[in-house]
Amino acid sequence: MQTNGTATAAPKQTTETAPAVSVVIPAHDEEANLPPLVNRVREALPDLAAYEIILVDDGSGDRTRAVALELAATMPELRVIAHDQAGGQSAAVHSGVQAARGALIATLDGDLQNPPENLPALLAPLLDPNAPADLGLVAGQRVGRRDTLSKRLASRFANGLRARVLQDATRDTGCGLKAYRRSAYLALPFFNHQHRYLPALFARDGWQVMHVDVTHAPREAGRSKYSNLQRALVGIVDLAGVWWLIRRRKTARPHEVTGGSGQG
């Protein structure tokens, strides 16, 4: 496992009121993908809710951070968070959510394989005034995946095994497109590769999880950060750990009582 890098931030850009939504994008060596990605996020969201975009440079070795800062110089809704060394996708998302000002978080990967046009469908259930109070997570599930055959087969096996062990009713937890309540996410136990287990972890804490089918795109620039073998090796340990966390979850639920409601 990689060691989490220290997070630093560009000068914080503020507005009079906090945004309703913070879009968190983890990125490692994605300099070519950032400009079109950010522009497509901006096109997808303007009429939905007040929002900010948080780009998290996870210790990139290319110009990812410089490109992000160039974009932020002309976009007041864009903020840049940085790890001085790579900590992995889950660490980058966690740092971004910690820095976020919105009560709702939307995430997508920085490689343009998660089309930003899916964001409104993910956020709509949480933005609905009649949304259930216990709806914590809206998880995207990819259809028509544009990965290599070997990657699709490995993902299908891993998802099937995870679903059988954790009973999380999710066919695709690796999808970066998700929307959730910031406070609920920050209450979850954090560990590297946590992002692959969010449905099970939200359910563990008593939150309702909704699923939305989303589109997928081929990678056009950069390269994948993990091999199938790397995913398999860390996945075995992580799966056992999450299974243990669920088995040891807190089952007592508190409620406030008054002086006249105690047992005599």
Side-chain angles (χ1 to χ4, degrees):
M1 290 189 183
Q2 294 171 301
T3 303
N4 291 357
T6 302
T8 58
K12 184 174 181 180
Q13 302 187 33
T14 60
T15 58
E16 291 183 359
T17 58
V21 174
S22 296
V23 180
V24 176
I25 305 174
H28 178 78
D29 291 349
E30 301 288 0
E31 61 176 308
N33 289 318
L34 292 189
L37 175 60
V38 170
N39 284 324
R40 286 171 62 183
V41 170
R42 297 174 80 201
E43 291 171 0
L45 292 181
D47 297 327
L48 189 65
Y51 69 92
E52 65 179 355
I53 303 171
I54 299 179
L55 278 173
V56 184
D57 168 35
D58 185 35
S60 296
D62 65 356
R63 295 190 68 253
T64 290
R65 187 178 308 187
V67 171
L69 288 172
E70 290 167 5
L71 292 169
T74 62
M75 301 175 183
E77 71 273 34
L78 177 60
R79 299 166 57 201
V80 181
I81 306 297
H83 288 166
D84 291 332
Q85 61 186 51
Q89 183 171 341
S90 288
V93 169
H94 191 258
S95 292
V97 176
Q98 285 182 314
R101 296 182 296 132
L104 297 180
I105 303 295
T107 64
L108 69 166
D109 294 344
D111 56 13
L112 271 180
Q113 289 197 265
N114 296 153
E117 293 75 18
N118 292 287
L119 291 173
L122 289 167
L123 286 163
L126 289 164
L127 288 168
D128 187 338
N130 298 315
D134 65 346
L135 177 59
L137 167 69
V138 181
Q141 298 191 126
R142 293 165 288 189
V143 294
R145 288 191 57 177
R146 304 295 298 275
D147 288 319
T148 62
L149 177 60
S150 63
K151 191 171 182 178
R152 294 199 306 271
L153 290 175
S155 179
R156 185 179 304 171
F157 173 78
N159 276 309
L161 177 61
R162 186 213 67 257
R164 285 192 296 272
V165 172
L166 301 183
Q167 299 294 306
D168 60 4
T170 302
R171 73 167 189 268
D172 178 21
T173 61
C175 179
L177 280 160
K178 292 183 173 69
Y180 43 78
R181 300 184 190 276
R182 178 178 182 269
S183 58
Y185 169 84
L186 290 177
L188 301 177
F190 175 79
F191 52 92
N192 280 341
H193 312 290
Q194 178 207 44
H195 65 280
R196 298 193 182 105
Y197 299 92
L198 289 185
L201 292 171
F202 270 85
R204 168 187 179 268
D205 279 7
W207 292 101
Q208 179 183 337
V209 176
M210 180 182 294
H211 300 91
V212 172
D213 285 346
V214 297
T215 56
H216 193 236
R219 176 181 272 278
E220 297 182 1
R223 60 184 179 85
S224 178
K225 308 304 183 293
Y226 304 99
S227 67
N228 291 336
L229 178 60
Q230 286 174 315
R231 285 189 178 92
L233 292 176
V234 299
I236 292 171
V237 176
D238 293 338
L239 182 59
V242 175
W243 177 83
W244 184 89
L245 283 171
I246 292 173
R247 294 268 297 180
R248 294 295 184 266
R249 69 187 182 278
K250 179 180 178 180
T251 56
R253 300 296 179 191
H255 62 277
E256 187 171 355
V257 297
T258 62
S261 60
Q263 294 181 343

CSV table of all heavy atoms in Angstrom, one decimal, residues 7-67:
chain,number,residue,atom,x,y,z
A,7,ALA,N,-1.3,16.7,2.4
A,7,ALA,CA,-2.2,17.5,1.5
A,7,ALA,C,-1.9,19.0,1.8
A,7,ALA,O,-1.9,19.5,2.9
A,7,ALA,CB,-3.6,17.2,1.8
A,8,THR,N,-1.7,19.7,0.7
A,8,THR,CA,-1.6,21.2,0.7
A,8,THR,C,-2.6,21.7,-0.3
A,8,THR,O,-3.0,21.1,-1.2
A,8,THR,CB,-0.2,21.6,0.3
A,8,THR,OG1,0.1,21.1,-1.0
A,8,THR,CG2,0.9,21.1,1.3
A,9,ALA,N,-2.9,23.0,-0.1
A,9,ALA,CA,-4.0,23.6,-0.9
A,9,ALA,C,-3.5,24.9,-1.6
A,9,ALA,O,-2.7,25.6,-1.0
A,9,ALA,CB,-5.2,23.8,-0.1
A,10,ALA,N,-4.1,25.2,-2.7
A,10,ALA,CA,-3.9,26.5,-3.3
A,10,ALA,C,-4.7,27.5,-2.5
A,10,ALA,O,-5.5,27.1,-1.7
A,10,ALA,CB,-4.4,26.5,-4.8
A,11,PRO,N,-4.4,28.8,-2.6
A,11,PRO,CA,-5.1,29.8,-1.9
A,11,PRO,C,-6.6,29.6,-2.0
A,11,PRO,O,-7.1,29.5,-3.1
A,11,PRO,CB,-4.7,31.1,-2.5
A,11,PRO,CG,-3.3,30.8,-3.0
A,11,PRO,CD,-3.4,29.4,-3.5
A,12,LYS,N,-7.4,29.5,-0.9
A,12,LYS,CA,-8.8,29.2,-0.9
A,12,LYS,C,-9.6,30.3,-1.5
A,12,LYS,O,-9.4,31.5,-1.1
A,12,LYS,CB,-9.3,28.9,0.5
A,12,LYS,CG,-10.7,28.5,0.5
A,12,LYS,CD,-11.1,28.1,1.9
A,12,LYS,CE,-12.5,27.6,2.0
A,12,LYS,NZ,-12.9,27.2,3.4
A,13,GLN,N,-10.4,30.0,-2.5
A,13,GLN,CA,-11.3,31.0,-3.1
A,13,GLN,C,-12.6,30.9,-2.5
A,13,GLN,O,-13.2,29.8,-2.4
A,13,GLN,CB,-11.4,30.8,-4.6
A,13,GLN,CG,-10.0,30.8,-5.3
A,13,GLN,CD,-10.1,30.7,-6.8
A,13,GLN,OE1,-11.1,31.2,-7.4
A,13,GLN,NE2,-9.2,30.1,-7.5
A,14,THR,N,-13.2,32.0,-2.0
A,14,THR,CA,-14.4,32.0,-1.2
A,14,THR,C,-15.5,32.7,-2.0
A,14,THR,O,-15.3,33.5,-2.8
A,14,THR,CB,-14.2,32.7,0.1
A,14,THR,OG1,-13.8,34.0,-0.1
A,14,THR,CG2,-13.1,31.9,0.9
A,15,THR,N,-16.7,32.4,-1.6
A,15,THR,CA,-17.9,33.1,-2.1
A,15,THR,C,-18.7,33.5,-0.9
A,15,THR,O,-18.4,33.1,0.3
A,15,THR,CB,-18.7,32.2,-3.0
A,15,THR,OG1,-19.1,31.0,-2.3
A,15,THR,CG2,-18.0,31.8,-4.2
A,16,GLU,N,-19.8,34.3,-1.1
A,16,GLU,CA,-20.6,34.8,0.1
A,16,GLU,C,-21.3,33.6,0.8
A,16,GLU,O,-21.4,33.6,2.0
A,16,GLU,CB,-21.6,35.8,-0.4
A,16,GLU,CG,-20.9,37.1,-0.9
A,16,GLU,CD,-21.9,38.1,-1.3
A,16,GLU,OE1,-23.1,37.8,-1.2
A,16,GLU,OE2,-21.5,39.2,-1.7
A,17,THR,N,-21.7,32.6,0.1
A,17,THR,CA,-22.4,31.5,0.7
A,17,THR,C,-21.7,30.2,0.2
A,17,THR,O,-21.2,30.1,-0.8
A,17,THR,CB,-23.9,31.5,0.3
A,17,THR,OG1,-24.0,31.4,-1.2
A,17,THR,CG2,-24.6,32.7,0.7
A,18,ALA,N,-21.8,29.2,1.1
A,18,ALA,CA,-21.2,27.9,0.8
A,18,ALA,C,-21.9,27.2,-0.3
A,18,ALA,O,-23.2,27.4,-0.4
A,18,ALA,CB,-21.2,27.0,2.0
A,19,PRO,N,-21.3,26.5,-1.2
A,19,PRO,CA,-22.0,25.8,-2.3
A,19,PRO,C,-22.8,24.7,-1.7
A,19,PRO,O,-22.5,24.2,-0.6
A,19,PRO,CB,-20.8,25.3,-3.2
A,19,PRO,CG,-19.7,25.2,-2.2
A,19,PRO,CD,-19.8,26.3,-1.3
A,20,ALA,N,-23.8,24.2,-2.4
A,20,ALA,CA,-24.6,23.1,-2.0
A,20,ALA,C,-23.8,21.8,-2.3
A,20,ALA,O,-23.9,20.8,-1.6
A,20,ALA,CB,-25.9,23.1,-2.7
A,21,VAL,N,-23.0,21.8,-3.4
A,21,VAL,CA,-22.4,20.6,-3.9
A,21,VAL,C,-20.9,20.9,-4.1
A,21,VAL,O,-20.5,21.9,-4.6
A,21,VAL,CB,-23.0,20.1,-5.3
A,21,VAL,CG1,-22.2,19.0,-5.8
A,21,VAL,CG2,-24.4,19.8,-5.1
A,22,SER,N,-20.1,19.9,-3.7
A,22,SER,CA,-18.6,20.0,-4.0
A,22,SER,C,-18.3,18.8,-4.9
A,22,SER,O,-18.6,17.6,-4.5
A,22,SER,CB,-17.8,19.9,-2.7
A,22,SER,OG,-18.0,21.0,-1.9
A,23,VAL,N,-17.7,19.0,-6.0
A,23,VAL,CA,-17.3,17.9,-6.9
A,23,VAL,C,-15.9,17.7,-6.7
A,23,VAL,O,-15.0,18.6,-6.9
A,23,VAL,CB,-17.6,18.3,-8.4
A,23,VAL,CG1,-17.2,17.2,-9.3
A,23,VAL,CG2,-19.1,18.7,-8.6
A,24,VAL,N,-15.5,16.5,-6.2
A,24,VAL,CA,-14.2,16.1,-5.9
A,24,VAL,C,-13.6,15.2,-7.0
A,24,VAL,O,-14.2,14.2,-7.3
A,24,VAL,CB,-14.1,15.4,-4.5
A,24,VAL,CG1,-12.7,15.0,-4.2
A,24,VAL,CG2,-14.6,16.4,-3.4
A,25,ILE,N,-12.4,15.6,-7.5
A,25,ILE,CA,-11.8,14.9,-8.6
A,25,ILE,C,-10.4,14.5,-8.2
A,25,ILE,O,-9.5,15.4,-8.2
A,25,ILE,CB,-11.8,15.7,-9.9
A,25,ILE,CG1,-13.2,16.2,-10.3
A,25,ILE,CG2,-11.2,14.9,-11.1
A,25,ILE,CD1,-13.3,17.1,-11.5
A,26,PRO,N,-10.1,13.3,-7.9
A,26,PRO,CA,-8.7,12.9,-7.7
A,26,PRO,C,-8.0,12.7,-9.0
A,26,PRO,O,-8.5,12.2,-10.0
A,26,PRO,CB,-8.9,11.5,-7.0
A,26,PRO,CG,-10.2,11.0,-7.5
A,26,PRO,CD,-11.0,12.2,-7.8
A,27,ALA,N,-6.7,13.1,-9.0
A,27,ALA,CA,-6.0,13.0,-10.3
A,27,ALA,C,-4.5,12.7,-10.0
A,27,ALA,O,-3.9,13.4,-9.1
A,27,ALA,CB,-6.1,14.3,-11.1
A,28,HIS,N,-3.9,11.8,-10.8
A,28,HIS,CA,-2.5,11.5,-10.7
A,28,HIS,C,-2.0,11.3,-12.1
A,28,HIS,O,-2.4,10.4,-12.8
A,28,HIS,CB,-2.3,10.2,-9.9
A,28,HIS,CG,-0.8,9.8,-9.8
A,28,HIS,ND1,0.1,10.4,-9.0
A,28,HIS,CD2,-0.1,8.9,-10.5
A,28,HIS,CE1,1.3,9.9,-9.1
A,28,HIS,NE2,1.2,8.9,-10.1
A,29,ASP,N,-1.1,12.3,-12.5
A,29,ASP,CA,-0.6,12.3,-13.9
A,29,ASP,C,-1.7,12.3,-14.9
A,29,ASP,O,-1.7,11.5,-15.8
A,29,ASP,CB,0.3,11.0,-14.1
A,29,ASP,CG,1.6,11.1,-13.3
A,29,ASP,OD1,1.9,12.2,-12.7
A,29,ASP,OD2,2.3,10.1,-13.2
A,30,GLU,N,-2.5,13.3,-14.8
A,30,GLU,CA,-3.7,13.5,-15.7
A,30,GLU,C,-3.7,14.8,-16.4
A,30,GLU,O,-4.7,15.4,-16.7
A,30,GLU,CB,-5.0,13.2,-15.0
A,30,GLU,CG,-5.2,11.9,-14.4
A,30,GLU,CD,-5.4,10.8,-15.4
A,30,GLU,OE1,-5.4,11.0,-16.6
A,30,GLU,OE2,-5.5,9.6,-14.9
A,31,GLU,N,-2.5,15.4,-16.7
A,31,GLU,CA,-2.4,16.8,-17.2
A,31,GLU,C,-3.2,17.0,-18.4
A,31,GLU,O,-3.9,18.0,-18.6
A,31,GLU,CB,-1.0,17.2,-17.4
A,31,GLU,CG,-0.2,16.3,-18.4
A,31,GLU,CD,1.2,16.9,-18.7
A,31,GLU,OE1,1.3,18.1,-19.0
A,31,GLU,OE2,2.1,16.1,-18.6
A,32,ALA,N,-3.2,16.0,-19.4
A,32,ALA,CA,-4.0,16.2,-20.6
A,32,ALA,C,-5.5,16.1,-20.5
A,32,ALA,O,-6.2,16.7,-21.3
A,32,ALA,CB,-3.5,15.2,-21.7
A,33,ASN,N,-5.9,15.4,-19.4
A,33,ASN,CA,-7.4,15.2,-19.3
A,33,ASN,C,-8.1,16.3,-18.5
A,33,ASN,O,-9.3,16.5,-18.6
A,33,ASN,CB,-7.6,13.9,-18.5
A,33,ASN,CG,-7.3,12.7,-19.4
A,33,ASN,OD1,-7.6,12.7,-20.6
A,33,ASN,ND2,-6.6,11.7,-18.8
A,34,LEU,N,-7.3,17.1,-17.7
A,34,LEU,CA,-8.0,18.1,-16.8
A,34,LEU,C,-8.7,19.2,-17.5
A,34,LEU,O,-9.9,19.4,-17.1
A,34,LEU,CB,-6.9,18.7,-15.9
A,34,LEU,CG,-6.3,17.7,-14.8
A,34,LEU,CD1,-5.5,18.5,-13.8
A,34,LEU,CD2,-7.4,16.9,-14.1
A,35,PRO,N,-8.2,19.9,-18.5
A,35,PRO,CA,-9.0,20.9,-19.1
A,35,PRO,C,-10.3,20.5,-19.7
A,35,PRO,O,-11.4,21.1,-19.4
A,35,PRO,CB,-8.0,21.5,-20.2
A,35,PRO,CG,-6.7,21.2,-19.7
A,35,PRO,CD,-6.8,19.8,-19.1
A,36,PRO,N,-10.4,19.4,-20.5
A,36,PRO,CA,-11.7,19.0,-21.0
A,36,PRO,C,-12.6,18.5,-19.9
A,36,PRO,O,-13.8,18.7,-19.9
A,36,PRO,CB,-11.4,17.9,-22.0
A,36,PRO,CG,-10.0,17.4,-21.7
A,36,PRO,CD,-9.3,18.6,-21.2
A,37,LEU,N,-12.0,17.8,-18.9
A,37,LEU,CA,-12.8,17.3,-17.8
A,37,LEU,C,-13.5,18.4,-17.0
A,37,LEU,O,-14.7,18.4,-16.8
A,37,LEU,CB,-11.9,16.5,-16.9
A,37,LEU,CG,-12.6,16.0,-15.6
A,37,LEU,CD1,-13.8,15.1,-15.9
A,37,LEU,CD2,-11.6,15.2,-14.7
A,38,VAL,N,-12.7,19.4,-16.6
A,38,VAL,CA,-13.3,20.5,-15.8
A,38,VAL,C,-14.3,21.3,-16.6
A,38,VAL,O,-15.4,21.6,-16.1
A,38,VAL,CB,-12.2,21.5,-15.4
A,38,VAL,CG1,-12.7,22.8,-14.8
A,38,VAL,CG2,-11.3,20.8,-14.4
A,39,ASN,N,-14.1,21.5,-17.9
A,39,ASN,CA,-15.1,22.2,-18.7
A,39,ASN,C,-16.4,21.4,-18.9
A,39,ASN,O,-17.5,22.0,-18.8
A,39,ASN,CB,-14.5,22.5,-20.1
A,39,ASN,CG,-13.5,23.7,-20.1
A,39,ASN,OD1,-13.7,24.6,-19.3
A,39,ASN,ND2,-12.4,23.6,-20.9
A,40,ARG,N,-16.3,20.1,-19.0
A,40,ARG,CA,-17.5,19.3,-19.1
A,40,ARG,C,-18.2,19.3,-17.7
A,40,ARG,O,-19.5,19.2,-17.7
A,40,ARG,CB,-17.1,17.9,-19.6
A,40,ARG,CG,-16.8,17.9,-21.0
A,40,ARG,CD,-16.2,16.6,-21.5
A,40,ARG,NE,-17.2,15.5,-21.3
A,40,ARG,CZ,-16.9,14.2,-21.6
A,40,ARG,NH1,-15.7,13.9,-22.1
A,40,ARG,NH2,-17.8,13.3,-21.4
A,41,VAL,N,-17.5,19.3,-16.6
A,41,VAL,CA,-18.2,19.4,-15.3
A,41,VAL,C,-19.0,20.7,-15.2
A,41,VAL,O,-20.1,20.7,-14.8
A,41,VAL,CB,-17.2,19.2,-14.2
A,41,VAL,CG1,-17.8,19.6,-12.8
A,41,VAL,CG2,-16.6,17.8,-14.1
A,42,ARG,N,-18.4,21.8,-15.6
A,42,ARG,CA,-19.0,23.1,-15.6
A,42,ARG,C,-20.3,23.1,-16.5
A,42,ARG,O,-21.3,23.7,-16.1
A,42,ARG,CB,-18.0,24.2,-16.0
A,42,ARG,CG,-16.8,24.3,-15.0
A,42,ARG,CD,-15.8,25.3,-15.6
A,42,ARG,NE,-16.2,26.7,-15.3
A,42,ARG,CZ,-15.8,27.7,-15.9
A,42,ARG,NH1,-15.0,27.6,-17.0
A,42,ARG,NH2,-16.2,28.9,-15.6
A,43,GLU,N,-20.2,22.5,-17.6
A,43,GLU,CA,-21.3,22.4,-18.5
A,43,GLU,C,-22.5,21.6,-18.0
A,43,GLU,O,-23.6,21.9,-18.2
A,43,GLU,CB,-20.9,21.9,-19.9
A,43,GLU,CG,-20.0,22.9,-20.6
A,43,GLU,CD,-19.4,22.2,-21.9
A,43,GLU,OE1,-19.7,21.0,-22.2
A,43,GLU,OE2,-18.6,22.9,-22.6
A,44,ALA,N,-22.1,20.5,-17.2
A,44,ALA,CA,-23.1,19.6,-16.7
A,44,ALA,C,-23.9,20.1,-15.5
A,44,ALA,O,-25.0,19.7,-15.3
A,44,ALA,CB,-22.5,18.3,-16.3
A,45,LEU,N,-23.3,21.1,-14.7
A,45,LEU,CA,-23.9,21.4,-13.4
A,45,LEU,C,-24.5,22.8,-13.3
A,45,LEU,O,-25.2,23.0,-12.3
A,45,LEU,CB,-22.8,21.3,-12.4
A,45,LEU,CG,-22.3,19.9,-12.1
A,45,LEU,CD1,-21.3,19.9,-11.0
A,45,LEU,CD2,-23.5,19.0,-11.7
A,46,PRO,N,-24.4,23.8,-14.2
A,46,PRO,CA,-24.7,25.1,-13.8
A,46,PRO,C,-26.2,25.4,-13.4
A,46,PRO,O,-26.4,26.2,-12.5
A,46,PRO,CB,-24.5,25.9,-15.2
A,46,PRO,CG,-24.6,24.9,-16.2
A,46,PRO,CD,-24.0,23.7,-15.6
A,47,ASP,N,-27.1,24.6,-13.9
A,47,ASP,CA,-28.5,24.8,-13.5
A,47,ASP,C,-29.0,23.9,-12.3
A,47,ASP,O,-30.1,24.0,-11.9
A,47,ASP,CB,-29.5,24.6,-14.7
A,47,ASP,CG,-29.2,25.6,-15.8
A,47,ASP,OD1,-28.8,26.8,-15.4
A,47,ASP,OD2,-29.3,25.3,-17.0
A,48,LEU,N,-28.1,23.1,-11.9
A,48,LEU,CA,-28.5,22.1,-10.9
A,48,LEU,C,-28.4,22.6,-9.5
A,48,LEU,O,-29.4,22.5,-8.7
A,48,LEU,CB,-27.6,20.8,-11.0
A,48,LEU,CG,-28.0,19.6,-10.2
A,48,LEU,CD1,-29.3,19.1,-10.7
A,48,LEU,CD2,-26.9,18.6,-10.2
A,49,ALA,N,-27.3,23.2,-9.1
A,49,ALA,CA,-27.2,23.8,-7.7
A,49,ALA,C,-25.9,24.6,-7.7
A,49,ALA,O,-25.0,24.4,-8.6
A,49,ALA,CB,-27.1,22.6,-6.7
A,50,ALA,N,-25.7,25.4,-6.7
A,50,ALA,CA,-24.5,26.1,-6.5
A,50,ALA,C,-23.4,25.1,-6.2
A,50,ALA,O,-23.6,24.2,-5.4
A,50,ALA,CB,-24.6,27.1,-5.3
A,51,TYR,N,-22.2,25.2,-6.8
A,51,TYR,CA,-21.2,24.1,-6.6
A,51,TYR,C,-19.8,24.7,-6.7
A,51,TYR,O,-19.6,25.8,-7.0
A,51,TYR,CB,-21.4,23.1,-7.8
A,51,TYR,CG,-21.0,23.7,-9.1
A,51,TYR,CD1,-19.7,23.5,-9.6
A,51,TYR,CD2,-21.9,24.3,-9.9
A,51,TYR,CE1,-19.3,24.0,-10.9
A,51,TYR,CE2,-21.6,24.8,-11.2
A,51,TYR,CZ,-20.3,24.7,-11.6
A,51,TYR,OH,-19.9,25.2,-12.9
A,52,GLU,N,-18.9,23.9,-6.2
A,52,GLU,CA,-17.5,24.1,-6.4
A,52,GLU,C,-16.8,22.9,-6.9
A,52,GLU,O,-17.4,21.8,-6.8
A,52,GLU,CB,-16.8,24.5,-5.0
A,52,GLU,CG,-16.9,23.4,-4.0
A,52,GLU,CD,-16.2,23.8,-2.7
A,52,GLU,OE1,-15.6,24.9,-2.6
A,52,GLU,OE2,-16.3,22.9,-1.7
A,53,ILE,N,-15.7,23.0,-7.5
A,53,ILE,CA,-14.9,21.8,-8.0
A,53,ILE,C,-13.6,21.8,-7.3
A,53,ILE,O,-12.9,22.8,-7.2
A,53,ILE,CB,-14.7,21.9,-9.5
A,53,ILE,CG1,-16.0,22.1,-10.3
A,53,ILE,CG2,-13.9,20.7,-10.0
A,53,ILE,CD1,-15.8,22.4,-11.8
A,54,ILE,N,-13.3,20.6,-6.7
A,54,ILE,CA,-12.0,20.5,-6.0
A,54,ILE,C,-11.2,19.4,-6.7
A,54,ILE,O,-11.5,18.3,-6.8
A,54,ILE,CB,-12.2,20.1,-4.6
A,54,ILE,CG1,-13.1,21.1,-3.8
A,54,ILE,CG2,-10.9,19.8,-3.9
A,54,ILE,CD1,-13.4,20.8,-2.4
A,55,LEU,N,-10.1,19.9,-7.3
A,55,LEU,CA,-9.1,19.0,-8.0
A,55,LEU,C,-8.0,18.6,-7.0
A,55,LEU,O,-7.4,19.5,-6.4
A,55,LEU,CB,-8.5,19.7,-9.2
A,55,LEU,CG,-9.2,19.7,-10.5
A,55,LEU,CD1,-8.5,20.6,-11.5
A,55,LEU,CD2,-9.4,18.3,-11.0
A,56,VAL,N,-7.8,17.3,-6.8
A,56,VAL,CA,-6.8,16.9,-5.9
A,56,VAL,C,-5.7,16.2,-6.6
A,56,VAL,O,-5.8,15.1,-7.2
A,56,VAL,CB,-7.4,15.8,-4.9
A,56,VAL,CG1,-6.3,15.4,-3.8
A,56,VAL,CG2,-8.7,16.4,-4.2
A,57,ASP,N,-4.5,16.9,-6.7
A,57,ASP,CA,-3.3,16.4,-7.3
A,57,ASP,C,-2.7,15.4,-6.4
A,57,ASP,O,-2.1,15.8,-5.3
A,57,ASP,CB,-2.4,17.5,-7.7
A,57,ASP,CG,-1.0,17.0,-8.1
A,57,ASP,OD1,-1.0,15.9,-8.7
A,57,ASP,OD2,0.0,17.6,-7.8
A,58,ASP,N,-2.7,14.1,-6.7
A,58,ASP,CA,-2.2,13.1,-5.8
A,58,ASP,C,-0.7,12.8,-6.1
A,58,ASP,O,-0.4,11.8,-6.7
A,58,ASP,CB,-3.0,11.8,-5.9
A,58,ASP,CG,-2.6,10.8,-4.9
A,58,ASP,OD1,-2.2,11.2,-3.8
A,58,ASP,OD2,-2.6,9.6,-5.2
A,59,GLY,N,0.2,13.8,-5.8
A,59,GLY,CA,1.6,13.6,-6.0
A,59,GLY,C,2.0,13.3,-7.5
A,59,GLY,O,2.9,12.4,-7.7
A,60,SER,N,1.4,14.0,-8.4
A,60,SER,CA,1.7,13.7,-9.8
A,60,SER,C,3.2,14.1,-10.2
A,60,SER,O,3.8,14.9,-9.6
A,60,SER,CB,0.8,14.6,-10.7
A,60,SER,OG,-0.6,14.2,-10.5
A,61,GLY,N,3.7,13.3,-11.2
A,61,GLY,CA,5.0,13.6,-11.7
A,61,GLY,C,5.0,14.4,-12.9
A,61,GLY,O,6.1,14.7,-13.4
A,62,ASP,N,3.9,14.7,-13.5
A,62,ASP,CA,3.8,15.5,-14.7
A,62,ASP,C,3.3,16.9,-14.3
A,62,ASP,O,3.5,17.4,-13.2
A,62,ASP,CB,2.9,14.8,-15.7
A,62,ASP,CG,1.4,14.7,-15.3
A,62,ASP,OD1,1.1,15.1,-14.1
A,62,ASP,OD2,0.6,14.3,-16.0
A,63,ARG,N,2.6,17.6,-15.2
A,63,ARG,CA,2.2,19.0,-15.0
A,63,ARG,C,0.7,19.1,-14.5
A,63,ARG,O,0.1,20.1,-14.6
A,63,ARG,CB,2.3,19.8,-16.3
A,63,ARG,CG,3.7,20.0,-16.8
A,63,ARG,CD,3.8,21.0,-17.9
A,63,ARG,NE,3.5,22.4,-17.5
A,63,ARG,CZ,2.3,23.0,-17.8
A,63,ARG,NH1,1.3,22.4,-18.4
A,63,ARG,NH2,2.1,24.2,-17.3
A,64,THR,N,0.2,18.0,-13.9
A,64,THR,CA,-1.1,18.0,-13.4
A,64,THR,C,-1.4,19.2,-12.5
A,64,THR,O,-2.4,19.9,-12.6
A,64,THR,CB,-1.4,16.7,-12.7
A,64,THR,OG1,-1.5,15.6,-13.6
A,64,THR,CG2,-2.8,16.7,-11.9
A,65,ARG,N,-0.5,19.4,-11.5
A,65,ARG,CA,-0.7,20.5,-10.6
A,65,ARG,C,-0.7,21.9,-11.3
A,65,ARG,O,-1.5,22.7,-11.0
A,65,ARG,CB,0.3,20.4,-9.4
A,65,ARG,CG,0.0,21.4,-8.3
A,65,ARG,CD,1.0,21.3,-7.2
A,65,ARG,NE,1.1,20.0,-6.7
A,65,ARG,CZ,1.9,19.7,-5.6
A,65,ARG,NH1,2.5,20.6,-4.9
A,65,ARG,NH2,1.9,18.4,-5.2
A,66,ALA,N,0.3,22.0,-12.2
A,66,ALA,CA,0.4,23.3,-12.9
A,66,ALA,C,-0.8,23.6,-13.7
A,66,ALA,O,-1.3,24.7,-13.7
A,66,ALA,CB,1.7,23.3,-13.7
A,67,VAL,N,-1.3,22.6,-14.4
A,67,VAL,CA,-2.5,22.7,-15.2
A,67,VAL,C,-3.7,23.1,-14.4
A,67,VAL,O,-4.5,23.9,-14.7
A,67,VAL,CB,-2.7,21.5,-16.1
A,67,VAL,CG1,-4.1,21.5,-16.8
A,67,VAL,CG2,-1.6,21.3,-17.1
